Amino acid sequence: MGHDAAKTRREERNAGLLLIAAAALALLAANSAAGDFYHHILDYSFGPSLPRIGVPTVHLWVADALMALFFLLVGLEVKREWYEGRLSTAAERRLPFIAAAAGMALPALVFISIVQSDPSLINGWAIPAATDIAFAIGILALLGSRASPSIKLLLVTIAIIDDVGAVLIIALFYTADLSVYALGASLVIAGVMAFLNVAGVRRLWPYLVLAAFLWFAVLASGIHATIAGVVAALTIPLGRGEAHSPLRKLEHTIHPWVMFGVVPLFGFVSAGVHVGSIGEILRPLPLAIGLGLFVGKQTGVFGAIWLAVRSGLAPRPAGANWQQIYGAAMLCGIGFTMSLFIGALAFPGQPEAVEAAKLGTLGGSFLAAVGGWLVLRTAGPAEPVEEDASEAAEIFGEDWMADRQP
């Protein structure tokens, strides 16, 4: 039994190592003689023409289609925790929402304070707002038992709320021609999926077929298509207390494919940013983004959690000490996915500004990743909480709590 738990942890760590290796390989390729070939591969178009983007490139297939599966997996996990686990009470739900809100507001304020309302740069205020779940969890997975299950759940939940908030920001501030008809179709499809759940439909295939249509409709609406994964996850039947419910079955089936396939592939196609001279990161735009991610995120997230706990508004995550919480807050500063996406939307027709935004995203995310890892690596062991053993086993594998005892 201890062997099973150790195997689960090794898989988590291996997935994290694979992701980091893929991102490092992409960064190396983009800044070497192979840079042109790397970008040529990413810009290669194939497949049917899709709304808004035409024939998708390799990069778009990964970022807009495959990553929807990652958001589906994360949505399934959060739904399970919402109804049966650590988010099953209003008090437990309150903390991540407060932390996520502050973690979006502070980076934007840091950005604005640095660019000082420069009309050519101010449109990038939302670039440092969101957390990249894949990279943050990849870093966290490398720490094994040094990061408690509650820290992982807190980080995932904050990141999901961040990304949903970022999608709403895109829809409200960076979508010039939102399709009302496609948005309406998305709502209808989601409604049908929810009705199937209420009607007691237990087979997975109707939900999966409708989820594909939902993805297409969301893409056509002008909203980032990956949000379809989260919405679809919310409609999958959980069957409270049921060991083999449709939700648990789907989560178990797609987990290895996502963590060992989709996520590292995304890291490879997204992290290939050309890095010029070090001095370039000190220009207003990359500096504002970098500090927004590294300083604004950790200040907002950790400050909000500390105030909420001290004021009695929400309980501290069970089994986590303050240093671990601070480390998780630093990891929230890993931007990548949404930051790169919003950067491209914020400066249309301005390739130099887009490249500068990428540089700031890369620099801030790197500092947040290294800083968060160091803080968590040097933190004391998670505080044991006996009653959380079953929930921890669901996240990390059977007998996780027993195996991690000294």
Side-chain angles (χ1 to χ4, degrees):
M1 295 171 67
H3 173 74
D4 292 339
K7 180 181 177 181
T8 301
R9 293 207 305 279
R10 282 196 300 270
E11 290 177 350
E12 293 279 351
R13 287 194 294 268
N14 289 341
L17 284 171
L18 183 59
L19 170 61
I20 294 171
L25 180 61
L27 190 60
L28 179 63
N31 291 276
S32 69
D36 290 340
F37 178 72
Y38 169 80
H39 289 293
H40 175 74
I41 294 297
L42 298 189
D43 293 336
Y44 178 75
S45 300
F46 70 97
S49 180
L50 297 176
R52 304 274 178 178
I53 58 179
V55 178
T57 62
V58 170
H59 182 274
L60 288 176
W61 275 119
V62 175
D64 285 30
L66 290 183
M67 281 301 287
L69 295 176
F70 177 79
F71 279 81
L72 172 65
L73 176 63
V74 172
L76 294 172
E77 179 175 312
V78 170
K79 178 178 179 178
R80 173 169 50 78
E81 294 292 342
W82 184 278
Y83 287 105
E84 295 184 347
R86 298 171 185 272
L87 297 176
S88 58
T89 68
E92 290 171 322
R93 296 168 186 167
R94 194 176 301 126
L95 187 64
F97 277 93
I98 294 173
M104 296 185 72
L106 263 292
L109 292 177
V110 169
F111 180 94
I112 293 172
S113 69
I114 293 175
V115 302
Q116 297 180 347
S117 301
D118 184 333
S120 66
L121 302 179
I122 196 66
N123 203 41
W125 62 272
I127 295 175
T131 297
D132 189 295
I133 308 174
F135 277 84
I137 293 301
I139 296 295
L140 200 61
L142 299 178
L143 294 160
S145 60
R146 289 182 178 271
S148 69
S150 60
I151 284 294
K152 179 186 178 184
L153 178 61
L154 177 67
L155 180 62
V156 167
T157 309
I158 291 174
I160 288 177
I161 298 170
D162 271 356
D163 282 346
V164 171
V167 168
L168 293 176
I169 288 173
I170 291 169
L172 294 174
F173 298 99
Y174 296 108
T175 303
D177 56 346
L178 184 68
S179 172
V180 177
Y181 297 106
L183 185 60
S186 303
L187 295 174
V188 169
I189 295 170
V192 171
M193 296 177 72
F195 174 78
L196 292 179
N197 188 333
V198 174
V201 176
R202 308 284 292 171
R203 293 181 177 271
L204 272 173
W205 70 263
Y207 296 97
L208 298 180
V209 170
L210 287 171
F213 283 103
L214 177 63
W215 176 85
F216 186 85
V218 172
L219 176 69
S221 73
I223 297 176
H224 199 263
T226 52
I227 193 62
V230 176
V231 175
L234 300 180
T235 68
I236 306 297
L238 172 60
R240 300 190 192 184
E242 184 180 334
H244 303 288
S245 67
L247 185 146
R248 294 176 188 275
K249 180 180 178 181
L250 181 60
E251 183 181 1
H252 177 76
T253 300
I254 69 174
H255 184 272
W257 294 98
V258 170
M259 297 310 296
F260 288 95
V262 173
V263 172
L265 184 59
F266 166 75
F268 180 74
V269 304
S270 299
V273 181
H274 178 71
V275 180
S277 64
I278 299 299
E280 291 183 10
I281 202 169
L282 299 179
R283 290 186 296 163
L285 180 57
L287 183 64
I289 296 171
L291 291 181
L293 287 169
F294 181 61
V295 177
K297 270 291 183 181
Q298 62 172 285
T299 302
V301 172
F302 183 76
I305 292 175
W306 189 87
L307 289 174
V309 172
R310 293 300 184 188
S311 66
L313 191 60
R316 191 178 75 180
N321 58 45
W322 281 112
Q323 186 173 346
Q324 290 176 326
I325 294 173
Y326 178 60
M330 292 189 74
L331 291 182
C332 286
I334 302 175
F336 269 92
T337 320
M338 283 299 183
S339 294
L340 293 174
F341 185 76
I342 295 176
L345 295 178
F347 305 108
Q350 302 178 59
E352 291 185 1
V354 172
E355 287 301 308
K358 289 181 180 180
L359 183 60
T361 298
L362 178 64
S365 298
F366 175 78
L367 291 176
V370 173
W373 182 85
L374 287 173
V375 170
L376 288 168
R377 184 69 178 79
T378 58
E383 300 171 7
V385 182
E386 184 177 352
E387 63 271 21
D388 288 341
S390 61
E391 296 169 16
E394 289 181 357
I395 297 175
F396 288 100
E398 186 177 333
D399 291 329
W400 163 266
M401 296 298 288
D403 185 67
R404 64 195 289 269
Q405 296 299 321

